[in-house]
Amino acid sequence: MTDARLTLADVFAARRRLDGRIARTALVPSPSLAERVGVPVHLKLEQRQITGSFKLRGATNALLALSEDARARGVVAASTGNHGRALAHAARKAGVRCVVCMSRLVPGNKVEGIRRLGAEIRIVGRSQDDAQKEVDRLVAEESLTMLPPFDHPDIIAGQGTLGLELVEDCPELETVLVPLSGGGLIAGVALAVKTAKPDARVVGISMARGAAMHASLMAGRPVAVEELPTLADSLGGGIGLGNRWTFRMVRELVDEIVLLDEAEIAAAVRHAYWQEQEVVEGAAAVGIGALLAGKVRPHGPAVAVLSGRNIDMSLHQRLIAGEDVQLDATAG
């Protein structure tokens, strides 16, 4: 880990860099969830970014922060789908070569979405760690610049701009529920929210199957976990044994981590569609799932971040119809 620290000034610098390049997404009330938990609940509709997820913030900020020389060499990243799509979009806008490395667990719809944006695709192995080995090779052999999906200061600062919007649009918020994977989103959001509101609770929500950040925090250091098929596929992958930024920030800034089983994730996707009229992927629905399951019980105004919509629509149709989807059917 590094001794350097991100500050709110870095998040505001990211906001200036992103001005006009991303959407300021809506924050809307959820009467159905408010009735369920007894306090006001709002949904941050980050799935409405042009690439379908919050990842556009960090990827665009990090790419724009690169030197001209680094951009000229091109960029590369490992991804479970959404970061790759965001980086491909930002790179195409900037005229920069982009290579995205993914494992065979990444759903086909996410792979094709990245390919359509003009990125070069490399499918390697069955885990994010396998994909990262290909990234490392390309950095060494072709001098590409790595922009990882979460463990990078400019990525975290970009995601933190979402937190700025939360405290501006809902100054009374007391609890924020944030999907948790490698920690880039929750680290940035927690930095912004807790700087403005130190007493606010930031809760990370992940899946029970292969939650790497949770396992690492329990161990007191970054650890490897087996990557398993899950309805929350965007939350898969490790945090990197050499994690330099997000492990420490999550440990210091996040108040609680909650894990959901597959049935709870499926119920959340269904609720988002039938009650909120929102199409979201499993990873994006976990905040809703935690409230529905009673695993988070806020005592004041709460916000659940809906982080992405890039779900295979045939899978979505099966989920909202109430089908008990078998996990191997989600492996992609």
Side-chain angles (χ1 to χ4, degrees):
M1 288 182 285
T2 176
D3 290 331
R5 298 271 175 167
L6 281 174
T7 69
L8 196 61
D10 298 305
V11 181
F12 276 108
R15 170 181 272 187
R16 291 190 294 272
R17 204 174 279 124
L18 294 173
D19 185 39
R21 299 176 186 271
I22 64 162
R24 184 186 180 107
T25 54
L27 185 72
V28 300
S30 169
S32 65
L33 290 172
E35 182 178 3
R36 178 73 69 101
V37 302
V39 299
V41 177
H42 288 76
L43 304 175
K44 178 63 168 170
L45 305 185
E46 195 62 14
Q47 82 277 14
R48 295 189 181 178
Q49 292 290 351
I50 190 170
T51 61
S53 87
F54 75 93
K55 292 284 192 178
L56 188 62
R57 296 174 184 264
T60 303
N61 184 55
L63 187 139
L64 293 176
L66 291 176
S67 68
E68 289 296 326
D69 178 65
R71 277 189 256 177
R73 294 197 306 271
V75 296
V76 62
S79 176
T80 54
N82 287 336
H83 174 64
R85 190 167 186 156
L87 188 60
H89 175 86
R92 185 170 72 170
K93 288 284 188 181
V96 172
R97 180 191 178 195
C98 177
V99 182
V100 179
C101 304
M102 293 170 281
S103 83
R104 289 193 293 273
L105 287 180
V106 176
N109 68 297
K110 293 188 175 183
V111 176
E112 288 308 310
I114 295 168
R115 183 175 283 115
R116 284 196 298 270
L117 287 169
E120 301 169 38
I121 303 294
R122 308 289 171 88
I123 305 297
V124 183
R126 288 188 57 83
S127 73
Q128 184 87 328
D129 291 338
D130 291 338
Q132 183 61 45
K133 291 175 184 176
E134 177 68 4
V135 171
D136 295 340
R137 186 189 69 79
L138 290 168
V139 170
E141 296 182 8
E142 300 187 26
S143 298
L144 296 179
T145 300
M146 179 177 69
L147 290 179
F150 52 86
D151 195 37
H152 187 288
D154 294 323
I155 297 287
I156 298 167
Q159 319 306 26
T161 60
L162 189 156
L164 295 179
E165 293 172 17
L166 292 184
V167 295
E168 290 167 353
D169 294 346
C170 187
E172 69 277 16
L173 74 85
E174 293 188 11
T175 302
V176 185
L177 297 90
V178 185
L180 173 62
S181 178
L185 175 60
I186 201 168
V189 167
L191 173 62
V193 169
K194 284 189 169 287
T195 302
K197 295 180 65 67
D199 293 333
R201 292 179 68 238
V202 177
V203 182
I205 320 292
S206 198
M207 69 290 180
R209 294 173 61 88
M213 183 63 78
H214 178 260
S216 296
L217 291 169
M218 294 298 290
R221 57 183 173 80
V223 297
V225 299
E226 182 182 2
E227 191 169 341
L228 300 168
T230 172
L231 293 172
D233 56 86
S234 293
L235 303 184
I239 70 166
L241 297 182
N243 188 290
R244 301 179 66 237
W245 293 90
T246 60
F247 175 77
R248 182 180 66 191
M249 291 182 72
V250 172
R251 183 176 60 190
E252 294 177 354
L253 296 173
V254 175
D255 297 282
E256 182 183 3
I257 294 176
V258 170
L259 304 182
L260 301 186
D261 64 31
E262 296 298 303
E264 290 165 339
I265 296 168
V269 172
R270 286 194 289 271
H271 179 96
Y273 183 77
W274 292 114
Q275 300 298 321
E276 314 295 345
Q277 291 78 53
E278 299 293 341
V279 173
V280 296
E281 58 190 276
V286 293
I288 292 175
L291 294 173
L292 292 176
K295 291 185 172 179
V296 176
R297 299 181 183 274
H299 300 294
V303 172
V305 177
L306 305 189
S307 53
R309 67 166 186 259
N310 296 320
I311 187 171
D312 180 274
M313 291 309 293
S314 62
L315 171 61
H316 187 266
Q317 184 177 29
R318 294 165 64 195
L319 290 172
I320 64 170
E323 181 179 336
D324 182 13
V325 176
Q326 297 299 307
L327 291 176
D328 58 1
T330 72

